[in-house]
Structure formats: C-alpha cells, structure tokens
Amino acid sequence: MKFATFVHDGKRQSGVVADDQLHPFEHPVDLLDLIVEGEEALRAAGERALTASLYVPLADARLLPPLQPPTVRDYMTFESHVEGVARGYGDAVPEEWYAAPAFYFTNPYAMIGAHDDAPVPPGCGRFDFELEVAAVIGKAGRDLTPEQARDHILGYTILNDWSARDLQGREMRVKLGPAKGKDTSTTLGPWLVTSDELERHRDAEGFLDLALTVAVNGQTVGRDRLANMAWTFEEMAAYASRGTWIRPGDVLGSGTCGNGGCLAELWGRHRILEPLPLVPGDSVTMTVEGIGTISNTVVEGVAPVPLPPARRRR
C-alpha cells in the first residue's frame, strides 16, 4: 500500500494512494497515530478507505510529508558520495567510516511536502540538495539484530536533505555540526510505500535495488542505485537501536547517493563550483523506482537575524 497525508479544500487528511486517487481514511486520523497502533490497524484502515466511495483526485490535493516523524536519523552509507565530497577537501574516505553506519540527528520540525517550495536558509550562499531514500520504523525495539530489524521497518519514502554547504562547512570546524547547515527544510514524500511493495527489488545481499535520479531544471545531474549502499536498512536500524529505542514513525535516511546525488560531491570531483549552487527559481526533481517522484522549487529565504560574536573569556 501507499499512504499519504494531504490537504484538500483546506482540510488536512491522511489516506491511501491508488490510481492517481487519494482515498481518505473513513475517520479523520493522523497517519502516525495509525502507525503507532500497529501495522494491522494501518492496513485495515487502508482497506476500508479503498472500498469507500470517497476519493480525491491526486492532482487536486497538496501533498504534505506522509508523517510528522518524532526523530530523523540521517546516515552516510554511499562510499562514492563520501569519497567525492572528501576529495574536495584533499581528503579520502576515513577508515572510521567503514566501521559502522554513521548518522546525525536532523530537525523533525523542518519536514516539507513533495511539491512545496524550499527556501534558501538564512545567510546561505551555497545551497544544495541530497537525494536519499528513507525507511520508516513501524514498531518499537531496542538492541535489535539486523534480522529482527526487518520486521520493524514499515516502509519507505524519498528524502531530500537540503543543505547549506557554506554554513555547514563553518559549523563542522567546531567539531559539532551540521546544525543550521541542515536545519531549514527536508523534503519527505511523496508518500509512504509499505515494505512488501518493494520486496521484489531485494537482491541477494538484502539491498533494495532501486534506480535513483535527480534533475535540476529538467537536466539530470545524478543517477545511482540504492543497492550501492554500504549497509542495508536493517543493519542501519539495528545500529540505531543499539543501547536505545527506535519507535514508530522514526525516519532513517540512507544518506546521499553517489554519482551526482548532491552538488557537493560534484564540486569535490570537479574542484570547482560546477554545477552552480541552487538559486531561487531552480527546481529539483527526484525519482526513485517503486516509490515515486518529488519536485521542489527553490525560493528566497529570510535574512538572518544578527547575533553578536562570542564573548571571549580568556
């Protein structure tokens, strides 16, 4: 099944996607609430929605992020992406990267929909996209094995981790970030595709072998396959659960794919800002086989509110 959250006639609703139609749940309910109830309750609500006579043409609705995630862990699992970005700094892939699937927590309040405008972050001069696939956790667990974790992954969606590269670069010199470099917006959508829908794409190593493409203003700039990840989503979920809980609605981003999955990788390989950073008016379109397409237009952001520099105490 495919589950979506959308606005139609000013009303926010969730439901099932089928044949370019949105079928609202019979009782107004948030998708995350149904996920918390459990997969059986979610599928039952979906079946009832499909058999009801009420539907909304997909073209008449504004798609929101399919859910408001309580947490978003964003990983870095494509070696070619890491290598390309590192090259721009005269570095190589660090050995520590190979030890475990590294991630950072990004802002769950910054989610935008599949076709919403993406504002340039305040003070940003090098705006970038990042093509990713995200897994959505369906039930709670901790200290899971990868085999156990498979039952905890409800489904998948597309994630665009919009990035302010100049802000990010400055912040990470402090050895904390990224912070404001990744804080203004993250696209999630167009909908949540349940795991069973993608099972036919699973390869012998357990990876989902899906084609990934990203275009800027209609011109393809990146192309990869999801099976080029270094860890499976089950392994990522198991690592996330180590010593703590993962809970329903948690989002695990794959990290940026390689071969042009973001501009920063291409900048690193070319040693110049080519293609140019995103500017207002640019459109970024991402397509993932078996999931769908998202397309956002970059718009002007707001000016940063001035803050004083640190008070030097020594």
Side-chain angles (χ1 to χ4, degrees), residues 30-309:
D30 189 85
L31 183 57
L32 180 57
D33 291 338
L34 278 175
I35 292 173
V36 170
E37 283 189 46
E39 188 171 353
E40 185 175 332
L42 177 62
R43 289 186 178 275
E47 292 291 348
R48 290 194 298 270
L50 287 172
T51 57
S53 58
L54 181 63
Y55 70 88
V56 173
L58 185 58
D60 293 347
R62 174 194 165 205
L63 290 171
L64 301 175
L67 74 160
Q68 176 58 56
T71 68
V72 183
R73 294 172 175 86
D74 201 5
Y75 288 75
M76 191 164 55
T77 68
F78 286 85
E79 186 177 13
S80 59
H81 163 73
V82 180
E83 188 273 333
V85 173
R87 184 181 295 185
Y89 295 95
D91 293 331
V93 180
E95 280 301 314
E96 290 81 1
W97 179 83
Y98 296 95
F103 67 86
Y104 76 97
F105 282 98
T106 193
N107 185 357
Y109 304 119
M111 303 297 108
I112 64 173
H115 305 289
D116 289 343
D117 291 340
V120 177
C124 171
R126 293 188 182 181
F127 197 32
D128 196 1
F129 59 81
E130 297 198 34
L131 169 55
E132 308 188 24
V133 172
V136 177
I137 299 301
K139 64 179 181 179
R142 65 177 295 153
D143 295 309
L144 301 171
T145 66
E147 293 73 23
Q148 292 169 332
R150 180 166 295 186
D151 290 336
H152 291 255
I153 296 175
L154 173 64
Y156 301 88
T157 189
I158 304 173
L159 187 153
N160 183 351
D161 178 30
W162 299 95
S163 300
R165 296 302 187 188
D166 44 351
L167 305 185
Q168 178 186 1
R170 290 197 297 269
E171 290 172 330
M172 295 189 73
R173 294 188 66 184
V174 186
K175 311 299 185 184
L176 278 178
K180 286 299 174 184
K182 302 273 194 171
D183 203 36
T184 299
S185 57
T186 300
T187 305
L188 210 61
W191 33 67
L192 170 64
V193 179
T194 54
S195 298
D196 59 303
E197 295 257 334
L198 300 176
E199 193 59 33
R200 68 184 184 277
H201 297 283
R202 194 177 297 277
D203 68 14
E205 289 188 282
F207 292 93
L208 295 175
D209 191 14
L210 308 177
L212 317 172
T213 60
V214 56
V216 177
N217 300 327
Q219 180 176 353
T220 299
V221 295
R223 191 185 300 273
D224 202 352
R225 300 199 69 86
L226 192 62
N228 287 330
M229 295 166 65
W231 291 272
T232 66
F233 281 105
E234 290 79 10
E235 291 163 345
M236 292 155 58
Y239 187 63
S241 76
R242 184 181 293 180
T244 189
W245 286 92
I246 54 173
R247 297 192 182 276
D250 286 354
V251 164
L252 312 180
S254 65
T256 310
C257 69
N259 196 32
C262 70
L263 297 177
E265 178 202 334
L266 299 177
W267 298 339
R269 296 189 186 282
H270 299 162
R271 303 296 179 94
I272 58 172
L273 292 182
E274 179 63 39
L276 293 173
L278 300 172
V279 296
D282 285 341
S283 65
V284 178
T285 302
M286 299 178 171
T287 299
V288 176
E289 180 183 5
I291 298 180
T293 297
I294 60 176
S295 188
N296 303 98
T297 299
V298 177
V299 297
E300 290 280 1
V302 299
V305 175
L307 291 176

